[in-house]
Amino acid sequence: LPLVSDEVFADLQKGEIDLIVAPDRYCPPAGAQQRLFEDRFVCLAWASNDAIGKTITLDQYTRSDHVVLKSHGAIPAVDDLFFTGRGIVRRVKVSAPNFTLLPRLVVGSHRIATVPNRLADHYRRLLPLKIVKAKFEMPVLCETMQWHQSRQNDKALTWLRQMIVASIASGH
């Protein structure tokens, strides 16, 4: 399933979905879960964007045009929750349904995207992008794996969970 939504969590609670990977703030406390990793958000800018240097102030951030994650349904994006809770308003010019599209929508523009550092580092190697460090507090992503309690001892699902953890530990 492409997105985290209320329906996905309802299906997980009913046992219709075996496993989800989502930010911890969205995972219902009733399910079995394991934290996978923690990652701080950073800004991504087109490498030729001369309006943005190696760092960005909050004033520059709020004056910049943004590419943001726009999830479907009632669940707001992690970064949106963070900024809204602090009264920070972004000038949204483009939105996309998942984080992996955001870096591509920055290339060739003066827009910036706020993404987890792991994702930014990956796309920086593939596209003409630069990682911009914020001079203000940024959200932290705590990615969590959650499954239905009835599948705690399922051998295939246990194997899958182990493979996911091993893959993350090896940096893949």
Side-chain angles (χ1 to χ4, degrees):
L1 301 170
L3 298 170
V4 174
S5 68
D6 292 328
E7 294 81 27
V8 168
F9 290 114
D11 288 347
L12 177 71
Q13 295 304 312
K14 291 185 279 185
E16 294 176 10
I17 292 177
D18 292 323
L19 177 80
I20 61 169
V21 175
D24 66 345
R25 69 177 55 229
Y26 301 129
C27 293
Q33 57 185 272
Q34 179 178 356
R35 180 174 277 186
L36 295 173
F37 63 87
E38 192 172 281
D39 199 8
R40 183 156 298 281
F41 279 75
V42 296
C43 293
L44 263 182
W46 179 38
S48 296
N49 180 349
D50 55 3
I52 302 289
K54 293 181 180 182
T55 61
I56 190 168
T57 66
L58 181 57
D59 184 55
Q60 289 173 304
Y61 186 82
T62 56
R63 285 188 288 117
S64 296
D65 292 340
H66 290 258
V67 176
V68 301
L69 175 67
K70 178 69 172 161
S71 59
H72 298 290
I75 298 178
V78 172
D79 59 327
D80 228 13
L81 284 171
F82 178 86
F83 292 120
T84 301
R86 284 160 180 74
I88 297 170
V89 178
R90 295 183 283 182
R91 292 177 18 169
V92 176
K93 296 299 179 181
V94 179
S95 63
N98 59 59
F99 273 124
T100 60
L101 292 174
L102 301 184
R104 297 174 192 283
L105 296 169
V106 168
V107 175
S109 78
H110 281 88
R111 297 183 294 260
I112 61 173
T114 305
V115 299
N117 188 60
R118 286 176 178 228
L119 183 73
D121 192 51
H122 171 76
Y123 276 98
R124 181 189 51 79
R125 288 184 251 132
L126 300 174
L127 299 169
L129 295 167
K130 59 184 172 183
I131 295 175
V132 181
K133 302 283 184 191
K135 290 187 167 188
F136 55 94
E137 185 183 9
M138 290 290 266
V140 174
L141 172 69
C142 298
E143 202 69 15
T144 301
M145 177 170 50
Q146 188 170 36
W147 57 96
H148 193 274
Q149 189 64 41
S150 67
R151 298 209 177 50
Q152 180 67 30
N153 297 316
D154 180 289
K155 290 183 182 188
L157 194 55
T158 298
W159 174 86
L160 178 60
R161 292 192 316 258
Q162 290 169 346
M163 291 298 105
I164 291 170
V165 169
S167 178
I168 291 169
S170 70
H172 292 104

